[in-house]
């Protein structure tokens, strides 16, 4: 029963596609006493009775008369010897055809069929992946925009470093990423070091996310006209929107995201190094007069 909505959508699409002209109606000349029938209970078409289109959901259908298009969801279809049917679509059940029954087109799908079950699992998997990517994109867009807005007073320092040399920043991020992954792997090799490995990876991820906010502002500066006169969060929103859009491209998007991630790690590393150097220079005593 949980697949009923999927079967319904599938059956409607098949009926629209096939009934619109793909399969010609062989019974067009027959006179019908009812243009259509929709039931949610067991249904029987008596001999001599002519029905145009029949839809039965969750129950069985027995036909001894004439029908044009038949759709049964989660139920069986029984065609008696006196039946004349143009097209039968059965989703989740079995089609029983008695000798003498005339049916011109039969479409049958069941989860017990390996092909259809595999297709269903693949389709649901693709839908889940798409939904996950959409959720991650929304969260990443909001997160990077908020970080850029919070760092609006100091973000120009790492931004200037990135504008000076993106290549150097990217190489720094690559070396730091390789070192961080190797260090975390070494810590995780022992039971005592696992918590420290988790903490190390968490700090690495935080540094990368902060750097991605700088990368988003950098992209916004490149594509916007007169970005200096605009709020930093607006520039970051434009940049992260473009970044997320390109990162959602299959295969290529993953490579672009890895590049942006590495550059983000590099720009944060350079920023921290500059702050540490400035603080160290302030604390150093001056003995020039001695």
């Amino acid at each position: 029963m949980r697949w009923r909505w999927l079967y319904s959508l599938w059956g409607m699409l098949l009926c629209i596609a096939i009934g619109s002209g793909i399969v010609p109606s062989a019974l067009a000349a027959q006179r019908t006493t009812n243009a259509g029938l929709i039931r949610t209970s067991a249904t029987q078409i008596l001999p001599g009775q002519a029905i145009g289109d029949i839809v039965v959901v969750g129950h069985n259908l027995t036909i001894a008369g004439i029908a044009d298009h038949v759709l049964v969801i989660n139920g069986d279809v029984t065609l008696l010897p006196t039946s004349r049917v143009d097209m039968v679509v059965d989703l989740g059940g079995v089609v029983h055809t008695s000798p003498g029954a005339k049916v011109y087109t039969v479409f049958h799908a069941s989860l017990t069929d390996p092909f259809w079950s595999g297709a269903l699992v693949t389709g649901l998997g693709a839908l889940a992946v798409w939904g996950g990517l959409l959720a991650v994109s929304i969260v990443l867009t909001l997160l990077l925009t908020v970080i850029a807005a919070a760092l609006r007073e100091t973000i120009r320092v790492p931004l200037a470093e990135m504008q000076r040399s993106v290549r150097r920043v990217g190489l720094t991020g690559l070396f730091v990423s390789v070192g961080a992954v190797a260090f975390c792997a070494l810590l995780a090799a022992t039971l005592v070091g696992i918590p420290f490995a988790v903490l190390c990876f968490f700090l690495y991820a935080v540094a990368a996310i902060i750097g991605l906010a700088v990368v988003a502002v950098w992209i916004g500066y490149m594509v916007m006209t007169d970005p200096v006169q605009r709020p930093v969060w607006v520039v970051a929103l434009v940049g992260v929107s473009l970044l997320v859009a390109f990162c959602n491209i299959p295969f290529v998007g993953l490579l672009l995201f890895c590049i942006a991630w590495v550059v983000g790690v590099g720009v944060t590393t350079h920023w921290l190094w500059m702050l540490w150097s400035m603080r160290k220079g302030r604390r150093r005593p001056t003995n020039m007069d001695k």
Side-chain angles (χ1 to χ4, degrees):
M1 299 301 175
R2 59 181 179 178
W3 306 102
R4 179 175 297 177
W5 64 272
L6 183 61
Y7 282 143
S8 302
L9 178 60
W10 196 356
M12 291 178 183
L13 293 177
L14 285 175
C15 285
I16 293 174
I18 299 174
S20 62
I22 299 178
V23 178
S25 177
L27 301 178
Q30 296 288 344
R31 183 180 61 87
T32 60
T33 59
N34 195 336
L37 187 66
I38 300 177
R39 292 287 179 86
T40 56
S41 60
T43 305
Q44 183 176 4
I45 307 301
L46 302 177
Q49 187 177 6
I51 305 294
D53 299 325
I54 304 174
V55 177
V56 178
V57 180
H59 294 275
N60 298 331
L61 171 65
T62 302
I63 300 178
I66 299 174
D68 289 341
H69 305 98
V70 175
L71 170 62
V72 177
I73 302 172
N74 286 338
D76 298 338
V77 178
T78 302
L79 302 176
L80 299 180
T82 57
S83 62
R84 302 292 183 271
V85 183
D86 202 12
M87 181 184 66
V88 175
V89 178
D90 184 86
L91 305 178
V94 180
V95 179
H96 304 281
T97 304
S98 303
K102 291 186 179 180
V103 55
Y104 295 92
T105 306
V106 176
F107 290 92
H108 172 251
S110 175
L111 291 179
T112 58
D113 190 336
F115 173 78
W116 293 113
S117 61
L120 179 61
V121 171
T122 303
L124 292 177
L127 183 62
V129 171
W130 177 83
L133 290 176
L134 179 62
V136 171
S137 300
I138 295 175
V139 172
L140 189 63
T141 301
L142 295 177
L143 181 61
L144 297 185
T145 304
V146 171
I147 292 175
L151 300 176
R152 60 183 179 276
E153 300 297 336
T154 58
I155 202 171
R156 301 186 186 277
V157 176
L159 182 62
E161 185 68 19
M162 187 174 176
Q163 290 174 338
R164 188 176 297 111
S165 178
V166 179
R167 180 181 178 181
R168 184 179 64 177
V169 170
L171 290 176
T172 303
L174 179 61
F175 292 139
V176 171
S177 298
V178 173
V181 172
F183 185 67
C184 290
L186 290 176
L187 290 177
T190 61
L191 185 62
V192 179
I194 291 179
F196 296 99
V198 174
L199 178 61
C200 178
F201 184 79
F202 174 76
L203 295 176
Y204 167 75
V206 170
I209 292 175
I210 295 176
L212 282 177
V214 181
V215 173
V217 176
W218 177 69
I219 295 175
Y221 266 74
M222 289 193 304
V223 299
M224 295 182 65
T225 58
D226 197 12
V228 181
Q229 304 298 328
R230 300 177 183 273
V232 176
W233 70 267
V234 175
V235 180
L237 181 60
V238 174
V240 73
S241 299
L242 291 176
L243 179 63
V244 168
F246 281 101
C247 288
N248 281 323
I249 301 175
F251 305 108
V252 180
L254 180 60
L255 178 61
L256 294 176
F257 181 78
C258 291
I259 295 175
W261 180 276
V262 169
V263 173
V265 172
V267 72
T268 304
T269 303
H270 276 270
W271 192 9
L272 293 176
W273 177 260
M274 292 172 59
L275 293 177
W276 183 79
S277 299
M278 292 173 58
R279 180 169 297 182
K280 184 178 178 180
R282 290 176 181 176
R283 291 182 178 179
R284 181 179 302 171
T286 59
N287 298 322
M288 298 180 59
D289 297 332
K290 295 182 180 181

